[in-house]
Amino acid sequence: MNVAFTTGEMKAQSNDPASVAVRERIREAILHGEYAPAQRLIEADLCEHFGASRFLVRTALQDLAAQGLIEFQRNKGARVRAVSLGEAVEITEVRMLLEGFVAARAAERVTEDEAAALRQISRDMRTAVESGELTHYSALNVRLHALLREMAAHRISAELLEQLRALTIRHQFTLSLVPGRSAVSLPQHEAIVAAVAAGDAEAAEDAMRAHLQSVIDALSLRAHAAAVPAV
Amino acid sequence: MNVAFTTGEMKAQSNDPASVAVRERIREAILHGEYAPAQRLIEADLCEHFGASRFLVRTALQDLAAQGLIEFQRNKGARVRAVSLGEAVEITEVRMLLEGFVAARAAERVTEDEAAALRQISRDMRTAVESGELTHYSALNVRLHALLREMAAHRISAELLEQLRALTIRHQFTLSLVPGRSAVSLPQHEAIVAAVAAGDAEAAEDAMRAHLQSVIDALSLRAHAAAVPAV
DNA sequence: CCCTGGGAGATTGTCAACAAAATTGTTTCG
DNA sequence: CGAAACAATTTTGTTGACAATCTCCCAGGG
């Protein structure tokens, strides 16, 4: 995989207004599931759909391939990359390391304002879960992790994490729909917030690792369930 | 940076014989220091030098930009990316996490043959250091880490590590020339080999982390030395 | 009926020429 | 003499067309 980044990758890819716009639009489309995994991305179709020249579409596809979101096959063009459950587990294992590191660093550098913001997210999360607003809960989840990355002030790990997260977004989504999943993850998030806000780096790392380990377990469970399909 | 991979990235970039050849040749040239950091890479020059069309050179440059090896500036073309010492430290911090994980996994899965191969590399390293063959020692170092990655059988971390390592290769090189550096790193490598060969995952992770922490310390020292230039 | 082969259409890979922007060099004016 | 404006060159960004390859459909023979 070529890990890449929400929009601020490793500061590498071309940043023309035109080029970047097309790339981000295609990227968002893939991340929002408008193109199914393994689906072919026909350049001409994309040109028409996004009103861009084939040149721009092509460079955008090349960037996205570098981010690992799509794959190229010689003379067969681009397909959206289908991340297997096994790969998703591997990615989450790496995320466990990096996010744990980020959480610890965030705990070391937390300010009063940041602690307050974290606690606010934590409260909002509980409210969202209790009222069954799963998509809002998911958005808060993204915000929590983003805030921690920002607090850690560690560009490399932040960029890698954004890239890795994008690759597993589909699995994250299906996981979030599993009944009772939010009930499991909510206390984990609350533990992370408590540790970081308290400035306890070791506890923060442990809590974050426990959280992602639980994600890995859930993924592995699904991998097993897929082998023996539901009734 | 957009982390990428020796040649097998996240399985993303185009793999045409022609395109990949140009990309790898330019990549090797940059890694071998034939182009200085911040140096402009003129497309026409590269075309002539590598005997390729501008189209191929351009796609190659785009791939390398995605790997973080070069940077694009709108209407100003490509420059080889200058990785600051601060960035090198961040990258090595992430490597510490990933390589530690890889070492632990390698220890869990080590076979008899692999243990023997590791010990052989360890012996060769000592011989190389004692006879002052620094470049051979460096090559063995690369082989050791590559073997560990292979043993760990963890694609994602392997690919990320290759990408990260490429970005810091220049710093690694200057570091290896510091007098007495090999005397410091040799016992660390021996400790890693011993732990992995013995199948002790925890010790392997600790040894690897200690090794890379020492690299970070050496880098930070240089960062400080650079602020107060040598006499 | 099935399998093989060929051909038409679709799709991507590549190239060469053109346009836009930046860089460099030169001239002119204060 | 220095600085700003202008012109020439270099370099990159973009476009459209062409060639190579793949895909799909259909016909013919076994």
Side-chain angles (χ1 to χ4, degrees):
Chain A
M1 84 184 170
N2 262 1
V3 184
F5 317 82
T6 299
T7 156
E9 300 69 329
M10 284 231 215
K11 209 66 180 300
Q13 310 192 344
S14 75
N15 41 7
D16 322 339
S19 168
V20 76
V22 178
R23 187 197 337 150
E24 290 314 306
R25 286 183 63 188
I26 300 180
R27 181 186 161 91
E28 291 302 317
I30 295 175
L31 260 41
H32 283 50
E34 294 173 33
Y35 298 103
Q39 178 176 342
R40 271 190 75 182
L41 297 174
I42 312 287
E43 296 180 2
D45 295 352
L46 298 175
C47 290
E48 190 179 6
H49 190 282
F50 293 103
S53 71
R54 205 178 137 215
F55 176 80
L56 291 177
V57 167
R58 192 166 245 277
T59 62
L61 289 179
Q62 222 175 327
D63 285 353
L64 294 173
Q67 297 182 11
L69 242 55
I70 66 180
E71 275 178 338
F72 268 100
Q73 282 181 300
R74 164 83 183 189
N75 286 329
K76 296 177 84 176
R79 308 182 92 86
V80 353
R81 168 118 177 265
V83 176
S84 70
L85 268 170
E87 287 173 314
V89 168
E90 279 201 2
I91 289 169
T92 310
E93 284 170 344
V94 170
R95 276 188 61 202
M96 187 165 74
L97 299 172
L98 296 179
E99 300 249 32
F101 172 70
V102 163
R105 251 178 93 101
E108 289 168 2
R109 309 167 160 246
V110 63
T111 67
E112 266 312 310
D113 290 352
E114 288 165 345
L118 286 174
R119 292 201 195 89
Q120 183 59 52
I121 293 178
S122 182
R123 278 192 297 272
D124 291 348
M125 278 180 143
R126 174 163 287 276
T127 308
V129 168
E130 285 173 353
S131 54
E133 300 165 359
L134 254 62
T135 67
H136 188 207
Y137 177 61
S138 175
L140 288 167
N141 183 19
V142 170
R143 236 172 65 198
L144 172 59
H145 286 269
L147 177 54
L148 290 176
R149 283 198 301 270
E150 190 187 329
M151 290 169 60
H154 200 272
R155 267 193 46 209
I156 299 293
S157 54
E159 288 165 353
L160 290 177
L161 281 171
E162 298 234 18
Q163 197 174 342
L164 293 174
R165 175 174 272 265
L167 289 178
T168 55
I169 189 167
R170 185 172 301 268
H171 293 283
Q172 301 287 126
F173 178 69
T174 61
L175 209 61
S176 74
L177 296 182
V178 173
R181 179 69 204 155
S182 58
V184 172
S185 66
L186 176 62
Q188 297 172 349
H189 283 133
E190 290 175 333
I192 294 167
V193 166
V196 173
D200 188 337
E202 199 172 335
E205 178 163 3
D206 290 347
M208 180 62 87
R209 287 205 181 206
H211 169 47
L212 285 170
Q213 183 60 54
S214 129
V215 172
I216 292 173
D217 293 343
L219 283 173
S220 304
L221 218 70
R222 281 192 62 81
H224 196 269
V228 185
V231 193
Chain B
M1 80 182 177
N2 264 359
V3 184
F5 318 81
T6 298
T7 154
E9 300 67 328
M10 280 232 218
K11 209 62 181 305
Q13 312 193 341
S14 74
N15 41 8
D16 323 338
S19 168
V20 76
V22 178
R23 182 191 346 143
E24 289 313 306
R25 285 182 65 189
I26 299 179
R27 181 185 161 92
E28 290 303 315
I30 294 175
L31 260 42
H32 283 48
E34 294 173 33
Y35 299 103
Q39 177 176 343
R40 270 189 74 181
L41 296 175
I42 313 287
E43 295 179 3
D45 294 353
L46 298 176
C47 291
E48 190 179 6
H49 190 284
F50 294 103
S53 72
R54 212 180 130 214
F55 175 81
L56 292 177
V57 167
R58 191 167 248 276
T59 62
L61 289 180
Q62 221 175 328
D63 285 352
L64 294 174
Q67 297 183 10
L69 243 54
I70 65 181
E71 276 177 338
F72 268 99
Q73 281 182 298
R74 165 83 186 188
N75 286 329
K76 295 177 83 176
R79 308 180 91 87
V80 349
R81 167 115 180 269
V83 177
S84 70
L85 268 169
E87 287 173 315
V89 168
E90 279 200 1
I91 290 170
T92 310
E93 285 171 343
V94 170
R95 277 190 58 203
M96 187 164 77
L97 300 171
L98 296 180
E99 299 249 31
F101 172 68
V102 163
R105 250 178 95 100
E108 289 168 1
R109 308 168 160 244
V110 63
T111 69
E112 266 311 309
D113 290 352
E114 289 166 343
L118 286 174
R119 292 200 194 89
Q120 184 61 50
I121 292 177
S122 182
R123 279 193 296 273
D124 292 348
M125 279 181 143
R126 175 162 286 276
T127 308
V129 169
E130 286 173 351
S131 55
E133 300 164 359
L134 255 63
T135 66
H136 187 208
Y137 177 61
S138 175
L140 287 167
N141 183 20
V142 170
R143 235 172 65 201
L144 172 59
H145 286 268
L147 178 53
L148 290 176
R149 283 198 301 269
E150 190 188 328
M151 289 168 61
H154 200 271
R155 267 193 46 210
I156 299 293
S157 53
E159 287 164 356
L160 289 177
L161 281 172
E162 299 234 16
Q163 198 173 343
L164 293 174
R165 173 174 275 264
L167 290 178
T168 55
I169 188 167
R170 186 173 300 269
H171 294 282
Q172 300 285 126
F173 180 67
T174 62
L175 211 62
S176 73
L177 296 181
V178 173
R181 180 69 204 155
S182 57
V184 172
S185 67
L186 177 62
Q188 296 172 350
H189 283 132
E190 289 175 335
I192 294 167
V193 166
V196 173
D200 187 338
E202 198 173 336
E205 178 163 5
D206 290 348
M208 181 62 87
R209 288 206 179 204
H211 169 46
L212 285 170
Q213 183 60 54
S214 133
V215 172
I216 293 174
D217 293 344
L219 284 174
S220 304
L221 218 68
R222 280 192 63 81
H224 196 266
V228 186
V231 193

